[in-house]
Amino acid sequence: MTDIAPTAFLPSLETDLLAVDTLRFLAADMVEAAQSGHPGMPMGAAPMAWTLWSRHLRHDPADPEWADRDRFVLSAGHGSALLYGLLHLFGYDLPIEELRRFRQLGSRTPGHPEFGVTPGVECTTGPLGQGLAMAVGMALAERMTAARYPEITGHRTYAIVGDGCLMEGVSHEVASFAGHLGLGGLIVLWDDNEITIDGAVGRSCGDDQVARFAAYGWHTDVVADGTDIEAIDAALTRAGSDPRPSFLAVRTVIGHGAPGVAGTSKVHGSPLGAERLAQAKQRAGWSLPPFAVPAEVAATCAVLAAIGGAEHAKWRNGFEAFGAAEPKRAAEFGRAGARLLPAGALAALGAVAAASPRATRQSSQACLDALRSAMPELVGGSADLAGSTGTVGGEVVRRDDFTTSAIAFGIREFGMAAILNGMSLHGGFRVFGATFLVFADYLRPALRLSALMGQPVIYVLTHDSVAVGEDGPTHQPVEQVESLRMIPGVRVLRPADDAETALAWQLALTRVDGPTALILSRQSLPQLDMACDGDGARIAGSDAATHHHSPAARALGAPAARALGAPVGARESRAGGTRRIDIVATGSEVALAVAVRNQLWADGYDVRVVSALDRARFTPDPSAHTISIEAGSTAGWAGSVDLAIGIDEFGHSGPGDEVLAHFGFTEAAVRERIRAYLDGAP
Amino acid sequence: MTDIAPTAFLPSLETDLLAVDTLRFLAADMVEAAQSGHPGMPMGAAPMAWTLWSRHLRHDPADPEWADRDRFVLSAGHGSALLYGLLHLFGYDLPIEELRRFRQLGSRTPGHPEFGVTPGVECTTGPLGQGLAMAVGMALAERMTAARYPEITGHRTYAIVGDGCLMEGVSHEVASFAGHLGLGGLIVLWDDNEITIDGAVGRSCGDDQVARFAAYGWHTDVVADGTDIEAIDAALTRAGSDPRPSFLAVRTVIGHGAPGVAGTSKVHGSPLGAERLAQAKQRAGWSLPPFAVPAEVAATCAVLAAIGGAEHAKWRNGFEAFGAAEPKRAAEFGRAGARLLPAGALAALGAVAAASPRATRQSSQACLDALRSAMPELVGGSADLAGSTGTVGGEVVRRDDFTTSAIAFGIREFGMAAILNGMSLHGGFRVFGATFLVFADYLRPALRLSALMGQPVIYVLTHDSVAVGEDGPTHQPVEQVESLRMIPGVRVLRPADDAETALAWQLALTRVDGPTALILSRQSLPQLDMACDGDGARIAGSDAATHHHSPAARALGAPAARALGAPVGARESRAGGTRRIDIVATGSEVALAVAVRNQLWADGYDVRVVSALDRARFTPDPSAHTISIEAGSTAGWAGSVDLAIGIDEFGHSGPGDEVLAHFGFTEAAVRERIRAYLDGAP
């Protein structure tokens, strides 16, 4: 199915031009009604968008979820009005009333395209460069799907990018990656309007973009007149038959047709104003009222949509034949597409256990090794740290072999994360990406989008504290764990040993509505013997059971959160005795907490250790002194515990245990701090 | 002084080769002693480093602070052992004992080069790509210095970069920027060893890097044999006379001379091992003990260092002549280099005040306008948002005119911040950069380095809450303010009106040991009448004075922190009455707090409003109910106040006031929440 038929219906040039003006004025009307938005980009890019949608894009507006549809990404997301116009014209569930409510609270037409809000919007764009990056991820997912299911796969990924997208660093990372893998089927149109918000592109950039993409190994082409529909069409056709990813530079005029401001930054992000808009319509011979769609355009779009529906039906027939011939593979395709875990996956995780100490990054490698055969849709890799992060996965994907499941993302953290978003949005895969925790800062903008789009991307972040040691403060995270916990919708799990690492992987895999960050140690940690409640908190100590649940024994789905009591503030002493001490720790500090507890037991204290695998699920017990130990920022602990032992300054280069000792992370120093606290406590 | 004389002393080729081996084995010995580190890069790149340092670099090891020295940046910071070897050989204050203590706690030879720790280290490198970016910043600062002080300025900036640097997105942003401005004098050597941590570069990257840099407008050259000192020298000489920035691809073998592992990733980041190191030395005919420097090499380096000292003396003479002829300009040069504020700067800030409401981004623009003539060393710009962020500054720097003070960084947030770090490190300028607060995520890795290096870069971050409105959740910060507060050493200031914005600029300018983030509103805010303590907290309300200090009236330097009392937990009610209510708010929420306070006054409550311009300086008063209002994450407030009113989810597209109302940021809703809290409070 690699042979994609172009749409079989060619509107007249007259209709084409009418449709282009329809898109232009719908966008301008939307911005005018909202008195907010970006008319310039839609007015300049309407011809390329129309040519693409009317002559090349293979989609079924009646079913935006069709697995083998072409993907379209408006990377220049500020041009959202253009996308909403297209979706409306082609019959997606986006009635004209929604266009009238552009940028209003609760509408399906937000200021920038948002995945999940508007049918047909493939991803959330607006943070520049990331749309292009997600398109690369979608194109990679297509190739990997085609390698597994060639009978039912063969679609393309299109993106329209602006100058901003191309200036952003992430464009380099992902264009280089796409060129390396030869992602044919990825076709990028550059809206080359020579204008940015502040003025001419030439004020800040002189790149030869075509030469640049050629240096990445892309097919490149230039359309000198971005209103020339036949030229755009021809370039798209040539691109479609090239085995490389394609970069088409399409020369446009921002705000095309807006008198006095076309071709200037004035038309980038402000309404035209009633008078100028009226003049533009007059010039274009446009006499319809605002938000009107000419009948001829509507009829044409209906035909094109029907053709898309027919293509889809044809594909569905093919899929049914495939299902009849290959029921197991077809079921697998459906299961992975629905993000259902295979039966054996969690059982495989349950088998992960070592008796001897090891780093949780190694525990995580064991989880991945166990999952690999059980869960073929689990794919991913690292930003050139496979060995270090415990994400070695056999042969990596190559331009001549997309059947393997390991991806060498290169030294491109941000690109990796944005590509993972694109792969997750494409569907059919569960994806993970790895780097050192400190470099989560490099990929943070994409992780935020994972959360905003509700994509279950799994971030494997290792070398999780100053215990990294000799590489020094640039490689030692301090504030990173806490700063990840702060992004809405991100689940942060910091496991203490094999059992918790397997549980963390289980929690990550069973989550389908958002990203999970696994925070893993570089250094070796002992295997602990602790009771486990299956949802992110374990208890060890005087009043905890000592048996150990294997994660696989747990039911799939989220058990109730653990509620340990009311918030700090309403404390009372235990009747007739010393108040209990709860030491809450995460990851590598749990073993330290256990060691300190043993000493405090010897000192006669009533102490319990809680492992807060998921800190968000931890609530202090008001009847206890609560002391936290985490080798990182105390900002998230300080207010809610009585004593927060952490690190609020940058680290130092030196052997890991010496650096930990420098910051007081030894049994003796922690015990002393706790005793000193207790001496002064009420 | 643009004509730079090459060093006048040419060692014999034999000495060159001996020096190269000295660098190789010093590095290998350091890694071996530490049993940690990266021997591969130094062994491969030693010839280019030696050629550069012995034949081109103009520096005075006796004075690493010489303003007109050439800068050398090891962007591939994991090769730190190479840099330490160079610094030691050339007589910087880095004795051999320090090399023996490589990567040990408290040594001057940390795992990655750290600015401020080792004399002669120009910047902290390790986070890949940022060294190249800082080199671009240094080269820009040189050009801008030369435009102001041509008589005493003419140095070059050299960088050695690895494949990792070139894969990182920031390399695109800054190389494009350098090409655009034609930053001749910037010479980048690419250690082209075809190896990354995980294996061959070809596993993840196929870029034609030379073509890529040519597309940015750089001079490019190739040295086919990276051990060929004459070829490297010739390429450096050609680069030195080219008006464009230069990119020299130098083909090397990682771990050169290490038997069995040279040319592989095995030698990237692990000690060679005693046996293999012995074999390598034997092969090279090296019979000296570890850490030994051949006398001939030492003598040669002493001569080269003396030549550098003589160059410096010559420059000093020139500077004295300049000072005699132009005492005022010479004094200005010295003042700015010492980061001393000019007399009029703070007075200029004191004049910033509007009676009518305006956004704090506009207040900030007024501050910049006032500072421009008073403080010529204040330079900066935005990532293509000058108008929106209030950082319009007249004509921007162009390749044919570096005399102006405004910089168009393009849509390159990360590159901008890293370039600012380089400019600040270069010295002679106070620098600022602006973008929308939500895109602080894009530049976060460079902001972390500002803090780690103690550089007083000023970040102007506007559109600081969901009040951004129609642009939607991708453009509405939620967790950003709190996540910036968490980076050690970053001062975060969120002013409420003109007076506080001027104070925030004053605090930012008077800080010389670290970065400051100014968090500014998009929306208009009233001018408040509040007492002000000059150090980040203002008080309005029943028991606060109503007079208003102008920032200019304050003494330079940090007044004592405001201490409002003991931490939450040891509360007591006021004798004989209702407990007082403290509403603490920041930025745009201060006016809301004041409005709510007025209503609560009418309801009979005893209420005070505190504006926590700098939240870090705020401590709750235990005798009061403390309620925080900030239109963002509550994570940093929740534990320490009684009621934290904030936003812990992503925003929505819609008019700003409607979005604020959706999240309960109206007088009525806040008043209701406070009353409900008080009804249930102890």
Side-chain angles (χ1 to χ4, degrees), chain A residues 34-38 103-107 109-114 124-130 163-173 175-177 180-181 196-199 201-209 211-212 214-217 382-388 394 396-397 408-414 438-439 441-442 444-445 448-449 451-453 470-480 482-483 486-489 522 633 635-636 638-640 648-655 658-659 662, chain B residues 34-38 103-107 109-114 124-130 163-173 175-177 180-181 196-199 201-209 211-212 214-217 382-388 394 396-397 408-414 438-439 441-442 444-445 448-449 451-453 470-480 482-483 486-489 522 633 635-636 638-640 648-655 658-659 662:
Chain A
Q35 279 300 298
S36 168
H38 301 77
R103 292 185 155 235
Q104 301 309 301
L105 203 56
S107 77
T109 48
H112 291 80
E114 290 183 40
T124 299
T125 49
L128 292 174
Q130 291 200 59
D163 289 293
C165 299
L166 298 186
M167 280 199 229
E168 289 287 356
V170 71
S171 73
H172 165 61
E173 300 186 6
S176 168
F177 180 81
H180 158 70
L181 284 180
T196 69
I197 291 177
D198 276 349
V201 168
R203 288 175 78 249
S204 60
C205 186
D207 295 357
D208 181 341
Q209 301 288 8
R212 177 186 161 211
Y216 297 139
S382 79
D384 198 52
L385 290 168
S388 300
V396 297
V397 165
F409 287 104
I411 302 156
R412 308 179 179 107
E413 296 80 10
F414 187 6
V438 79
F439 299 130
D441 283 359
Y442 274 63
R444 188 172 176 91
R448 189 176 205 256
L449 274 195
L452 183 55
M453 298 188 298
E470 289 90 345
D471 276 341
T474 56
H475 286 56
Q476 294 171 359
V478 170
E479 72 280 18
Q480 277 72 15
E482 203 59 56
S483 76
M486 200 168 288
I487 303 175
R522 176 199 184 205
S633 173
S640 57
D648 291 305
E649 55 188 292
F650 290 117
H652 297 289
S653 173
E658 293 180 28
V659 179
H662 170 82
Chain B
Q35 281 298 298
S36 168
H38 302 77
R103 292 184 155 236
Q104 302 309 302
L105 204 55
S107 78
T109 49
H112 291 79
E114 290 183 40
T124 298
T125 50
L128 292 175
Q130 291 199 61
D163 289 293
C165 299
L166 298 186
M167 281 199 230
E168 289 289 354
V170 72
S171 73
H172 165 61
E173 299 185 8
S176 169
F177 180 81
H180 158 70
L181 284 180
T196 70
I197 292 176
D198 277 349
V201 167
R203 289 175 79 247
S204 59
C205 186
D207 294 358
D208 181 341
Q209 300 289 9
R212 178 187 159 211
Y216 297 138
S382 78
D384 198 53
L385 289 168
S388 300
V396 298
V397 164
F409 287 104
I411 302 155
R412 308 179 179 109
E413 296 82 8
F414 187 7
V438 78
F439 299 131
D441 284 359
Y442 273 64
R444 189 173 176 90
R448 190 177 204 256
L449 274 195
L452 183 55
M453 299 188 296
E470 290 91 345
D471 276 341
T474 56
H475 287 54
Q476 293 171 359
V478 171
E479 73 280 19
Q480 277 71 16
E482 203 57 57
S483 76
M486 198 168 289
I487 303 176
R522 177 197 184 206
S633 173
S640 58
D648 291 304
E649 57 188 292
F650 291 117
H652 297 288
S653 173
E658 293 181 28
V659 178
H662 170 83

Side-chain angles (χ1 to χ4, degrees), chain B residues 378-451:
Chain B
L378 182 65
V379 302
S382 78
D384 198 53
L385 289 168
S388 300
T389 58
T391 52
V392 172
E395 288 300 310
V396 298
V397 164
R398 297 194 316 262
R399 61 164 58 211
D400 55 1
D401 185 1
F402 287 92
T403 61
T404 60
S405 64
I407 304 166
F409 287 104
I411 302 155
R412 308 179 179 109
E413 296 82 8
F414 187 7
M416 171 176 73
I419 287 169
L420 291 172
N421 281 336
M423 296 180 75
S424 182
L425 288 160
H426 177 279
F429 295 100
R430 290 299 303 273
V431 297
F432 67 89
T435 186
F436 290 162
L437 173 58
V438 78
F439 299 131
D441 284 359
Y442 273 64
L443 58 74
R444 189 173 176 90
L447 175 52
R448 190 177 204 256
L449 274 195
S450 304

Side-chain angles (χ1 to χ4, degrees), chain B residues 563-612:
Chain B
L564 281 172
V568 172
R571 287 209 188 105
E572 50 180 7
S573 295
R574 274 191 177 185
T578 318
R579 260 168 61 198
R580 203 183 61 220
I581 303 161
D582 271 355
I583 304 181
V584 54
T586 72
S588 49
E589 282 69 71
V590 177
L592 175 61
V594 168
V596 170
R597 176 204 64 185
N598 294 344
Q599 295 194 349
L600 291 172
W601 277 353
D603 296 342
Y605 290 97
D606 179 9
V607 191
R608 192 174 71 146
V609 169
V610 178
S611 175

